[in-house]
C-alpha cells in the first residue's frame, strides 16, 4: 500500500502486557490484523496471578509493567489484562503520555452490540469483578442492561499452568457458568484474557444461543484505529517483528505461551 505524500512511518514498537500468557490472545489478534507493526510483549509471570490481589497491588504492578515497556521505547501500550485494565487504566492514562488501550471497554462495546435481551454475563477474576469496571463500562453504553458478573479464582491459574483440557478446569468453568445460565443471559463476556483458550468448553456449557465475547478482536481493531488517527503507524507492506519478555521463568513462558499465541515464540528475555 502507498502512504500519502509526506507520511513518516513511526518505527517504534507497540507494547503489550499481561500478568502472564493470557494477553497473548490479544497479541495474536494484533499480529494478524497489524502484520506490519512491531510488538514487544511483557508477561509479568513473577507476579501472576493479578486477579486474586488487592486492587492497589494490581495497580502498582501495572504501573511497573507499563514503565518497563516505556523504557523500551514503545509508541502505544495495550493493557492486555482485564484485572490490570480494571484496576489501573484511568490512572495509567492520566500519568503517562504514551497512549494506553485497555481490554474492558472494547469487550463491553462488543457485548452491547451482540445482546438481544439486554442480559449480559461477565466471567472474570475476583479483582475485575470487585472493581465494577465491566458493570460501569456496560452501563455507560446502555443504562438499561442487566449485568451479572461471576468471579472465578481458579480458572486463570489452571489455564496459565497449561491445564486447558483437564477435568478440574471443566469443573471450574462449570461453577462459573452456573449462575450465568440461571440468570438467563444471552451474551457472556470473557472478562479475562486467559479464557479464550477454553472457548469450546464454555460454548458447550452455555449452549449455542449464548454469544461469547472475546475482547481481543475489538481491542486489535481499536489499536489499528488509534495508529491511523494519531498518525503513528509503521510502514504498510513490511513484515513486523515481535519479541517477548517475562519477569518469571522465560523457558516456562515460551513453552506455555505458543499455545496462546498460535505462532512461534523464539527467544524470551527476562526483565
Ligand atoms: N489475564 C488476566 C486478566 O485478564 C488474568 C490472570 C490473573 O489473574 O492474573 O484478568
Amino acid at each position: 500500500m502507498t502512504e500519502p505524500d509526506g507520511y513518516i512511518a513511526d518505527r517504534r514498537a507497540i507494547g503489550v502486557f499481561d500478568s502472564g500468557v493470557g494477553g497473548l490472545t490479544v497479541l495474536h489478534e494484533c499480529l494478524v490484523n497489524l502484520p506490519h507493526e512491531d510488538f514487544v510483549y511483557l508477561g509479568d509471570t513473577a507476579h501472576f496471578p493479578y486477579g486474586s490481589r488487592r486492587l492497589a497491588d494490581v495497580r502498582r504492578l501495572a504501573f511497573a509493567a507499563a514503565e518497563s515497556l516505556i523504557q523500551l521505547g514503545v509508541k502505544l501500550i495495550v493493557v492486555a489484562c482485564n484485572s490490570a485494565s480494571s484496576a489501573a487504566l484511568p490512572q495509567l492514562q492520566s500519568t503517562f503520555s504514551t497512549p494506553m488501550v485497555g481490554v474492558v471497554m472494547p469487550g463491553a462495546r462488543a457485548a452491547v452490540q451482540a445482546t438481544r435481551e439486554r442480559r449480559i454475563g461477565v466471567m472474570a477474576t475476583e479483582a475485575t469483578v470487585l472493581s465494577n469496571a465491566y458493570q460501569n463500562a456496560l452501563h455507560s453504553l446502555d443504562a438499561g442492561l442487566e449485568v451479572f458478573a461471576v468471579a472465578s479464582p481458579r480458572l486463570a491459574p489452571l489455564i496459565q499452568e497449561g491445564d486447558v483440557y483437564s477435568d478440574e478446569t471443566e469443573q471450574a468453568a462449570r461453577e462459573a457458568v452456573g449462575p450465568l445460565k440461571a440468570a438467563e443471559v444471552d451474551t457472556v463476556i470473557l472478562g479475562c484474557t486467559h479464557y479464550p483458550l477454553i472457548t469450546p468448553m464454555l460454548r458447550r456449557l452455555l449452549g449455542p444461543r449464548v454469544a461469547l465475547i472475546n475482547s481481543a478482536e475489538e481491542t486489535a481493531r481499536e489499536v489499528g484505529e488509534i495508529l491511523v488517527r494519531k498518525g503513528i503507524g509503521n510502514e504498510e507492506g513490511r513484515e513486523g517483528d515481535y519479541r517477548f519478555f517475562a519477569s518469571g521463568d522465560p523457558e516456562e513462558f515460551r513453552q506455555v505461551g505458543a499455545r496462546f499465541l498460535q505462532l512461534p515464540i523464539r527467544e524470551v528475555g527476562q526483565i
Side-chain angles (χ1 to χ4, degrees):
M1 215 176 158
T2 358
E3 275 83 22
D5 284 349
Y7 173 86
I8 301 166
D10 189 329
R11 300 191 194 287
R12 292 174 297 165
I14 296 170
V16 182
F17 81 86
D18 178 38
S19 56
V21 289
L24 293 172
T25 58
V26 180
L27 179 62
H28 169 98
E29 286 303 325
C30 290
L31 287 172
V32 297
N33 286 294
L34 303 163
H36 57 287
E37 292 291 341
D38 291 342
F39 290 88
V40 49
Y41 182 94
L42 167 60
D44 190 11
T45 46
H47 302 109
F48 178 87
Y50 281 6
S52 50
R53 293 174 183 273
R54 291 179 321 140
L55 291 174
D57 287 345
V58 179
R59 202 168 295 138
R60 180 178 53 78
L61 292 166
F63 266 76
E67 273 160 8
S68 301
L69 288 171
I70 289 168
Q71 273 167 22
L72 292 169
V74 300
K75 60 184 171 187
L76 178 148
I77 292 180
V78 183
V79 184
C81 172
N82 288 270
S83 311
S85 295
S86 301
L89 187 66
Q91 292 83 353
L92 289 169
Q93 289 172 329
S94 35
T95 305
F96 299 107
S97 56
T98 308
M100 304 267 171
V101 180
V103 283
V104 170
M105 195 44 109
R109 215 178 290 122
V112 170
Q113 285 161 10
T115 186
R116 298 169 307 273
E117 306 292 331
R118 296 164 89 203
R119 297 175 76 77
I120 296 180
V122 180
M123 293 175 60
T125 65
E126 290 161 295
T128 299
V129 172
L130 276 176
S131 74
N132 279 324
Y134 269 105
Q135 294 90 324
N136 294 338
L138 287 162
H139 283 138
S140 74
L141 297 168
D142 179 352
L145 290 170
E146 296 255 37
V147 181
F148 305 86
V150 177
S152 174
R154 283 163 63 212
L155 265 182
L158 284 165
I159 299 169
Q160 171 89 8
E161 280 166 25
D163 216 0
V164 178
Y165 310 117
S166 71
D167 288 345
E168 203 183 344
T169 305
E170 193 188 47
Q171 189 50 37
R174 201 179 286 281
E175 278 165 25
V177 158
L180 300 180
K181 283 180 85 164
E184 298 184 344
V185 298
D186 69 1
T187 302
V188 171
I189 299 176
L190 303 182
C192 170
T193 51
H194 282 70
Y195 299 170
L197 265 277
I198 57 161
T199 297
M201 204 179 260
L202 295 173
R203 276 203 196 293
R204 193 171 126 71
L205 290 169
L206 284 160
R209 278 205 284 276
V210 174
L212 271 193
I213 306 293
N214 168 359
S215 51
E217 272 172 42
E218 287 294 315
T219 305
R221 188 170 314 140
E222 191 166 319
V223 171
E225 282 169 13
I226 293 175
L227 295 179
V228 171
R229 293 208 182 118
K230 293 195 186 294
I232 55 171
N234 209 327
E235 197 181 312
E236 292 202 17
R238 72 187 281 275
E239 184 176 331
D241 169 37
Y242 56 96
R243 55 206 179 103
F244 301 91
F245 290 96
S247 56
D249 181 4
E251 187 47 31
E252 201 177 292
F253 178 92
R254 202 179 62 75
Q255 279 178 13
V256 182
R259 188 184 300 183
F260 286 71
L261 190 66
Q262 296 176 47
L263 287 165
I265 294 186
R266 293 174 196 97
E267 262 172 62
V268 181
Q270 191 145 25
I271 208 159

